[in-house]
Amino acid sequence: MVYFFTGIGAAENRRHPFQIIYRKSTVFERVRDRMKKSSKFLNLFVQTGIVIGMLAGVALIADIYVIEMPIICDFFAQEGKPVWYPVLSGVIATLCILGGEYIAFTLFRMMCTLDRDPFVQKNADALRQMGLTALAVAVLGLSTLLLHPVPLAVIAALPVAMCGLFSLVLSRVFAQAVAYKQENDLTV
């Protein structure tokens, strides 16, 4: 909205155009500040969830070896399987959980960059590492089919593999965004 002034003695109640722009910008600043506060809250909420999940992963590893391992040993003994089957099963489960812990830790580190600039090469590399780790976890999950064929292994491994593929694609998108950003920084 543009106001035209007719010279000296213009009405006092008319606003200067810059005042309107200033008022509109303060509204935008308020909205931007609210969005920053809500994104900081969401970021903190997700980081807290990641830490809780990582602690649950450590507890799960302890549960596997303290509580579940005797049950697994009895199960494989009743099926007449070799003694090393339960040990291999525990190792595979531990590697899968440690892969999840690595993915969670890498995601936590990525979340810390959201306040600044998320489109950096370090995040693109982190997404690639998370994708490869997720695919390795999916393959490890499917390898349990060699020990004891359970359809749940396939059902559990497929979403993990899909997340890994998605992370690999997203890492390429981030790498391209970093390249565009660097090119744009040099253009100025």
Side-chain angles (χ1 to χ4, degrees), residues 113-168:
T113 66
L114 292 181
D115 292 337
R116 297 170 305 225
D117 183 18
F119 294 106
V120 292
Q121 189 61 40
K122 187 170 78 169
N123 285 349
D125 294 340
L127 281 167
R128 185 173 185 279
Q129 291 170 353
M130 287 190 302
L132 293 174
T133 304
L135 290 175
V137 167
V139 168
L140 281 171
L142 288 175
S143 70
T144 60
L145 292 173
L146 300 174
L147 298 175
H148 186 73
V150 179
L152 184 61
V154 176
I155 294 171
L158 286 178
V160 173
M162 292 294 288
C163 288
L165 292 174
F166 177 75
S167 185
L168 288 174

Side-chain angles (χ1 to χ4, degrees), residues 8-174:
I8 301 174
E12 292 292 325
N13 59 359
R14 285 195 170 169
R15 297 181 188 151
H16 191 272
F18 295 119
Q19 289 175 333
I20 294 170
I21 292 172
Y22 176 73
R23 287 186 180 166
K24 286 183 180 178
S25 68
T26 58
V27 170
F28 291 133
E29 288 172 1
R30 287 180 194 161
V31 169
R32 188 180 66 221
D33 290 344
R34 278 190 193 156
M35 288 177 61
K36 281 185 179 179
K37 287 179 183 176
S38 66
S39 70
K40 285 182 182 180
F41 173 74
L42 181 63
N43 196 2
L44 181 66
F45 182 74
V46 171
Q47 286 176 339
T48 304
I50 290 171
V51 169
I52 291 171
M54 290 177 71
L55 292 173
V58 171
L60 188 60
I61 290 175
D63 174 66
I64 286 173
Y65 288 103
V66 173
I67 298 172
E68 304 297 329
M69 193 54 77
I71 298 169
I72 294 170
C73 288
D74 289 342
F75 173 77
F76 281 122
Q78 288 176 356
E79 285 197 350
K81 303 282 180 162
V83 178
W84 54 270
Y85 264 47
V87 174
L88 184 60
S89 176
V91 168
I92 289 172
T94 303
L95 289 175
C96 287
I97 293 169
L98 289 177
E101 294 284 321
Y102 174 75
I103 290 171
F105 178 71
T106 307
L107 183 61
F108 183 83
R109 283 191 339 211
M110 275 186 64
M111 296 287 293
C112 294
T113 66
L114 292 181
D115 292 337
R116 297 170 305 225
D117 183 18
F119 294 106
V120 292
Q121 189 61 40
K122 187 170 78 169
N123 285 349
D125 294 340
L127 281 167
R128 185 173 185 279
Q129 291 170 353
M130 287 190 302
L132 293 174
T133 304
L135 290 175
V137 167
V139 168
L140 281 171
L142 288 175
S143 70
T144 60
L145 292 173
L146 300 174
L147 298 175
H148 186 73
V150 179
L152 184 61
V154 176
I155 294 171
L158 286 178
V160 173
M162 292 294 288
C163 288
L165 292 174
F166 177 75
S167 185
L168 288 174
V169 169
L170 197 58
S171 74
R172 297 288 304 265
V173 171
F174 262 68

